[in-house]
Amino acid sequence: MSASLEDTIAHRQHNWLSSLLNSQAFWVLCAIIAACIFLSFATDAFATSKNLYNITRNVTFVAIIALGMTIVIITGGIDLSVGSVLCLCSMVLATTMHSGQSIYVGIAATVGAALLVGAFNGFLIAYLGFPPFVVTLGMLSIARSLAMVLSNNTVVFEFGPDHQKLLALGGGATLGIANPVLYMVVLALIVGFMLRWTRYGRWIFAIGGNEKAATLTGVPVRAIKMSVYMISSLSAGIAGIVMTGWLGAVTTNLGTGMELQVIAAAVIGGANLAGGVGTAVGALVGAALIEIIRNSLGLLGINAFWQGAFIGGFILVAVAFDRLRRQQN
């Protein structure tokens, strides 16, 4: 009995170690740690408390949306509209509060707008069979146009009677930790729990693995696919609320090109664009690597235009790693 128990424990430890070494998120985390160590010695500014505070805060906006994007990618879909949805939701919040409404009414209106956009995308994709790329590319243009109409293409920087509450929400800190970081951690825990431990999470992976088989086994595929686009838009809306509070102003170019960073974060973190693979932790470490790249270029005196080349390179490395892992399995 004792030998059998030891064999069982050893087998579990071996499986855990094998799973860890095969995890793309783990190797990205190792790359982040290595980069942080190198930058701490290469520059005097990287390891300062102010710079680390800025990095952790700045990473949250991409990371929050990447959590929702990862869920969509797991189902085999894509959402190109998140940058524009962030802009639209930020403008809904700003204009609602600017009109004299409370922050609670503004947040409710923002969440409602995000869910409505997500439901529209999801309905066209899940129930009418439109390609996700086409639908969300169209919404990318529609959402930003609506933001321009809503604000008459002007900057909104006055948020009514609850102006200071909004600034504290996005720009404040708790126990020395930026509030956006706390929101990111809470949302990551929720998404991670949902994907790992709930039936809804298993359905998401089942759809990404084999949609036809999932349908035959009774998974409500259409409803689930519609819901993941609502979650994606909601994550963009939440990021928009937090970013508005941090910036203290909203312009119609907010979030431009952000969808590419979000997709890159998800893919670098291990999400497979073919579907069926992805984690909440991967979304966070992917977003963290992108922010460290952006931050380090300036500290090392490298032209910021190289940022896209570095991010693109990491995407190719991530895809190559995933292919190599699949060949070994």
Side-chain angles (χ1 to χ4, degrees):
M1 180 67 68
S2 176
S4 177
L5 179 60
E6 290 176 356
D7 290 343
T8 302
I9 293 174
H11 180 68
R12 289 182 177 177
Q13 289 176 338
H14 174 75
N15 286 345
W16 177 83
L17 181 60
S18 177
S19 176
L20 182 65
L21 294 178
N22 283 327
S23 169
Q24 187 165 310
F26 169 74
W27 292 109
V28 174
L29 181 60
C30 290
I32 291 173
I33 294 172
C36 289
I37 294 173
F38 168 76
L39 291 168
S40 297
F41 288 101
T43 69
D44 295 329
F46 180 80
T48 62
S49 58
K50 181 179 180 180
N51 188 57
L52 294 177
Y53 180 90
N54 289 335
I55 289 175
T56 55
R57 180 195 59 198
N58 294 344
V59 75
T60 58
F61 308 116
V62 170
I64 288 173
I65 307 177
L67 289 169
M69 181 67 73
T70 297
I71 297 174
V72 171
I73 290 176
I74 291 173
T75 65
I78 198 73
D79 189 351
L80 300 177
S81 66
V82 289
S84 295
V85 172
L86 178 144
C87 178
L88 174 61
C89 289
S90 296
M91 198 60 76
V92 168
L93 175 66
T95 54
T96 301
M97 293 183 64
H98 181 74
S99 68
Q101 301 296 326
S102 70
I103 188 173
Y104 307 106
V105 174
I107 291 176
T110 303
V111 170
L115 292 175
L116 186 61
V117 171
F120 180 80
N121 285 342
F123 180 79
L124 292 180
I125 293 166
Y127 288 92
L128 299 185
F130 286 24
F133 183 92
V134 175
V135 172
T136 57
L137 182 62
M139 183 54 68
L140 179 150
S141 180
I142 293 171
R144 193 165 300 277
S145 178
L146 291 175
M148 292 178 180
V149 171
L150 193 61
S151 65
N152 198 26
N153 202 25
T154 59
V155 179
V156 181
F157 56 90
E158 294 179 349
F159 305 124
D162 285 346
H163 182 97
Q164 292 303 321
K165 288 184 179 179
L166 181 60
L167 297 187
L169 179 72
T174 303
L175 300 176
I177 303 174
N179 285 342
V181 177
L182 299 178
Y183 309 146
M184 177 190 68
V185 171
V186 171
L187 291 171
L189 290 174
I190 293 173
V191 172
F193 177 82
M194 179 192 73
L195 291 176
R196 183 72 174 83
W197 300 106
T198 68
R199 182 170 62 176
Y200 179 76
R202 291 192 294 272
W203 283 346
I204 289 173
F205 282 104
I207 293 171
N210 191 322
E211 185 173 327
K212 291 183 178 179
T215 303
L216 293 174
T217 56
V219 175
V221 172
R222 289 181 175 179
I224 298 298
K225 288 180 72 173
M226 180 171 174
S227 68
V228 299
Y229 285 94
M230 294 177 69
I231 292 173
S232 179
S233 290
L234 178 60
S235 68
I238 293 172
I241 294 171
V242 179
M243 185 176 284
T244 302
W246 172 56
L247 294 175
V250 182
T251 66
T252 52
N253 65 355
L254 191 67
T256 301
M258 199 171 185
E259 56 280 344
L260 301 180
Q261 294 184 46
V262 170
I263 294 171
V267 172
I268 291 172
N272 190 321
L273 290 173
V277 180
T279 63
V281 172
L284 299 192
V285 296
L289 182 61
I290 289 175
E291 176 56 28
I292 288 173
I293 290 173
R294 188 201 65 78
N295 183 267
S296 64
L297 292 181
L299 296 179
L300 294 172
I302 301 174
N303 193 318
F305 294 152
W306 281 103
Q307 178 179 335
F310 280 102
I311 294 174
F314 273 105
I315 292 175
L316 295 177
V317 170
V319 172
F321 179 87
D322 180 70
R323 173 164 291 190
L324 179 62
R325 181 180 57 187
R326 288 176 178 274
Q327 289 177 348
Q328 290 178 341
N329 292 336

